[in-house]
Amino acid sequence: MNGHPMNGYPQIADHGMIGDLQTAALVSGTGTIDWWCTPRFDSPSIFASLLDSERGGHCRLAVDADRVAGATVRQLYLPDTAILVTRFMAPGGVGEVADFMEPNPSATASDRHRLVRVARVVRGSLPFTLVCRPRFDYGRAPHTLTLLDDGSALFHGPRTDLHVQATAPLTLRPDGDDVVADFTLQAGETAAVVLTADSSGYHPVAPLTAGEVRDSIEACRAFWLDWLRASRYRGRWHEMVNRSAITLKLLTYAPTGAPIAAATMGLPEQIGGERNWDYRYTWIRDASLSVRALIDLGFVEEAQAFRTWLRERLEAGGTASGEPLQIMYRIDGDPHLTEEVLDHLEGYQKSGPVRAGNAAADQLQLDIYGEAADALAQAQEIGGIRGWRSFSGLLDWLADTWDRPDEGIWETRGGRQEFTYSRLMTWVAFDRGIRMATAYSRPADLVRWTGVRDTVFNQIIDRGWNPRRKAFVQHYATDVLDASLLLMPRVGFISPRDPAWLSTLDAMDGELVSDSLVYRYDPAASPDGLRGSEGTFNLCSFLYVEALARAGRLHQARYAFDKMLTYANHVGLFAEEIGPSGEQLGNFPQAFTHLALIAAAIALDEQLDQAETGGR
């Protein structure tokens, strides 16, 4: 793992994530919290040194590197939990810092969130240092510091207070408007630091005791072990699938059931480039696929919560885009995601601009109706009469409006096209609607829906298929390939062993695949309106594994899957992309990547099992 120098940045992959199901923080491999937004995932940050090492703010709790030479650092999760341990091994002893947030699965949003850091020494004696430098509102707002009579510290910022408590032998002292501490622990000793962020106005925090900290870490551990018991997965990649499931759960906002795309904003798809987006929102597409992954594992409560959220969006209307649904929302369902540039932040490794909010919210991406329909179709009911009427009304509307150019799944800013993937998911929308209406005897214009479904199917075959390439292509006016079409067999549009699909897979092998890693598309061949390049897309790499497995190409699929797993970071997490030197790029950790990992593992397990039993 890489260090965290005062004026530098750790690698994106040099982090673990902790969270309480309403917010999340990233902890670097040297014990630095360099990302935390509160009280929600999409709130302004308290710590954001990941986007500006000087102005962003951070909290570091670690063995004092100035007093301990030659320390080796390792970071790991306690198995099957979201408790992150950063371990320091030095000639003078072995110590560690455990970071966690106790999960709050309540349907009520909380203004108060608590992050716990526990330092301990298991062998010898080690000196530790604490530095807490919050910077409120993305580093734009000043704060005041008050040292309280009980030895704790209160940072007062705009709309949020941060209360820092510590147990002996840790004693806080001021450093300007920040706090620091130096302390030494012997074998068997512990010291805890608790950060309580409160956005409801300052309310006194109860005195901190060692017993309370022990109870809290045990409650956190018990929550995750109990939650994982619902998983049906018994396959070959148990540890990685469990870690991905926990990651998807950590990225889901419990009060509404809305999954976010990633915990961060502004992390670049290319160092020094401009592809730096805010992913702390709920995409209909990403969330629907996340729900499918969790359902496949057996987590039905999360799936039902999202379907409820989705039905509420259909019934609410009032989108910023003017469509019945828009591609993304805030986690509470607010459709307004005004994008602003935070030009006071230099960006990760000087990769600007840093954007908060997302202007792509008002793009036209017609595929979302198929993904929404697929998510709703996985329930045995669709929310009663009102829910069905909202959904059937959506399909009636779509029957009149589906045949339009749009911006496509990748949110390109280079103009609208007739994207094949958008048409594919339109086919899914009507296919799932017809199935539900038939299965549950619901009123629907089945003649019309069936006509549209079949028209879309024929259009894709006639115009989305390129005879020269012998492949389905990105949009009707190009011969460029697009890895989003790896979902064609998954959604049931085509058999995974159909000759037309196998030749499409062969074409992708030749153009989009690099040593089993997969690019979304070729920006040089299909300009997307943005400067710079990008790495291979982890979602697509795992979709490729699934497609290979379903096509019966098991040796190739297993090699590609095992290869992809080597790009996970030290605690099993993935960002959005893999760069040219094997580095992780983009927002982190990425739900898209982890849901696709789960789907690939399940598909590969199924196909390998069939091969081993001779197809019985």
Side-chain angles (χ1 to χ4, degrees), residues 1-15 26-29 32 34-35 47-57 138 264-277 341-355 569-570 575-577 579-588:
M1 290 183 293
N2 297 284
H4 194 303
M6 184 62 68
N7 295 314
Y9 296 89
Q11 293 292 316
I12 291 172
D14 186 24
H15 292 89
L26 298 186
V27 185
S28 79
T32 301
D34 52 21
W35 183 255
F47 302 129
S49 60
L50 196 56
L51 295 178
D52 194 308
S53 60
E54 293 294 327
R55 300 181 184 89
Y138 304 117
T264 60
M265 54 176 260
L267 294 182
E269 296 175 17
Q270 178 188 29
I271 302 300
E274 68 170 331
R275 301 166 188 262
N276 318 314
W277 315 114
V341 173
L342 306 180
D343 52 15
H344 65 288
L345 298 178
E346 71 173 9
Y348 177 81
Q349 292 192 23
K350 301 185 186 300
S351 300
V354 175
R355 297 179 177 91
N569 80 345
H570 55 288
E576 186 175 28
E577 300 183 6
S581 301
E583 72 278 19
Q584 295 208 35
L585 294 172
N587 285 303
F588 178 90

Side-chain angles (χ1 to χ4, degrees), residues 272-350:
E274 68 170 331
R275 301 166 188 262
N276 318 314
W277 315 114
D278 191 344
Y279 275 15
R280 301 169 300 153
Y281 306 115
T282 299
W283 272 253
I284 297 294
R285 175 189 310 113
D286 302 41
S288 297
L289 293 173
S290 291
V291 164
R292 173 67 180 272
L294 290 173
I295 286 176
D296 289 344
L297 293 177
F299 297 107
V300 295
E301 289 185 8
E302 288 75 12
Q304 185 56 45
F306 170 69
R307 285 193 291 263
T308 298
W309 181 91
L310 181 56
R311 287 198 301 267
E312 289 172 351
R313 304 287 72 71
L314 278 172
E315 293 169 7
T319 61
S321 64
E323 302 282 311
L325 284 176
Q326 63 186 44
I327 66 170
M328 74 181 92
Y329 296 82
R330 292 189 179 275
I331 51 181
D332 60 359
D334 185 347
H336 302 287
L337 288 80
T338 304
E339 185 175 298
E340 62 176 323
V341 173
L342 306 180
D343 52 15
H344 65 288
L345 298 178
E346 71 173 9
Y348 177 81
Q349 292 192 23
K350 301 185 186 300

Side-chain angles (χ1 to χ4, degrees), residues 412-586:
T412 60
R413 302 190 180 191
R416 294 180 176 179
Q417 299 287 347
E418 294 176 296
F419 284 101
T420 305
Y421 179 79
S422 297
R423 299 302 196 265
L424 170 70
M425 297 312 294
T426 298
W427 177 88
V428 169
F430 287 101
D431 177 76
R432 303 310 190 258
I434 292 165
R435 291 188 193 185
M436 283 190 284
T438 303
Y440 304 119
S441 301
R442 293 289 187 255
D445 192 346
L446 288 178
V447 172
R448 188 179 188 212
W449 290 5
T450 302
V452 174
R453 182 198 63 185
D454 295 346
T455 297
V456 176
F457 181 91
N458 289 324
Q459 187 187 92
I460 293 171
I461 299 301
D462 294 340
R463 300 181 64 196
W465 172 262
N466 186 289
R468 185 184 69 80
R469 300 299 306 272
K470 295 182 179 178
F472 292 100
V473 292
Q474 185 180 64
H475 60 77
Y476 296 166
T478 187
D479 62 1
V480 172
L481 302 177
D482 191 319
S484 66
L485 298 180
L486 287 164
L487 281 165
M488 293 182 93
R490 157 94 78 88
V491 300
F493 182 86
I494 194 169
S495 165
R497 303 193 186 195
D498 188 291
W501 174 248
L502 295 179
S503 65
T504 298
L505 204 52
D506 289 339
M508 290 185 183
D509 281 339
E511 181 172 302
L512 299 181
V513 181
S514 174
D515 190 27
S516 81
L517 305 179
V518 182
Y519 291 93
R520 295 188 291 181
Y521 55 91
D522 180 1
S526 180
D528 57 12
L530 299 166
R531 297 188 302 274
S533 61
E534 63 178 16
T536 56
F537 209 69
N538 294 331
L539 164 72
C540 299
S541 296
F542 283 120
L543 292 178
Y544 176 63
V545 170
E546 182 180 359
L548 289 172
R550 302 291 188 199
R553 300 176 178 181
L554 293 183
H555 293 297
Q556 192 179 356
R558 186 154 193 176
Y559 172 80
F561 190 67
D562 288 340
K563 182 84 172 182
M564 268 303 296
L565 295 186
T566 68
Y567 287 100
N569 80 345
H570 55 288
V571 291
L573 302 182
F574 285 92
E576 186 175 28
E577 300 183 6
I578 302 296
S581 301
E583 72 278 19
Q584 295 208 35
L585 294 172

Side-chain angles (χ1 to χ4, degrees), residues 35-171:
W35 183 255
W36 188 25
C37 298
T38 184
R40 309 188 327 184
F41 296 116
D42 57 354
S43 298
S45 62
I46 290 179
F47 302 129
S49 60
L50 196 56
L51 295 178
D52 194 308
S53 60
E54 293 294 327
R55 300 181 184 89
H58 68 274
C59 177
R60 185 166 189 263
L61 177 59
V63 166
D64 191 340
D66 293 334
R67 297 163 61 192
V68 176
T72 300
V73 183
R74 295 285 184 269
Q75 195 174 57
L76 63 147
Y77 280 111
L78 293 186
D80 289 343
T81 77
I83 300 170
L84 188 68
V85 176
T86 307
R87 186 166 291 155
F88 304 87
M89 294 165 284
V94 176
E96 60 189 30
V97 174
D99 287 296
F100 67 95
M101 299 175 72
E102 192 173 331
N104 177 9
S106 170
T108 302
S110 175
D111 289 321
R112 177 175 286 198
H113 299 271
R114 195 170 81 152
L115 192 159
V116 183
R117 319 198 71 188
V118 182
R120 73 176 186 134
V121 168
V122 297
R123 186 177 303 155
S125 174
L126 287 174
F128 286 78
T129 183
L130 167 74
V131 178
C132 187
R133 305 191 189 283
R135 298 294 182 265
F136 295 87
D137 191 23
Y138 304 117
R140 292 183 291 196
H143 67 264
T144 59
L145 169 66
T146 304
L147 293 181
L148 303 178
D149 293 340
D150 61 2
S152 64
L154 177 65
F155 296 95
H156 180 68
R159 298 179 299 281
T160 302
D161 293 313
L162 182 67
H163 193 167
V164 182
Q165 298 170 284
T167 60
L170 196 156
T171 302

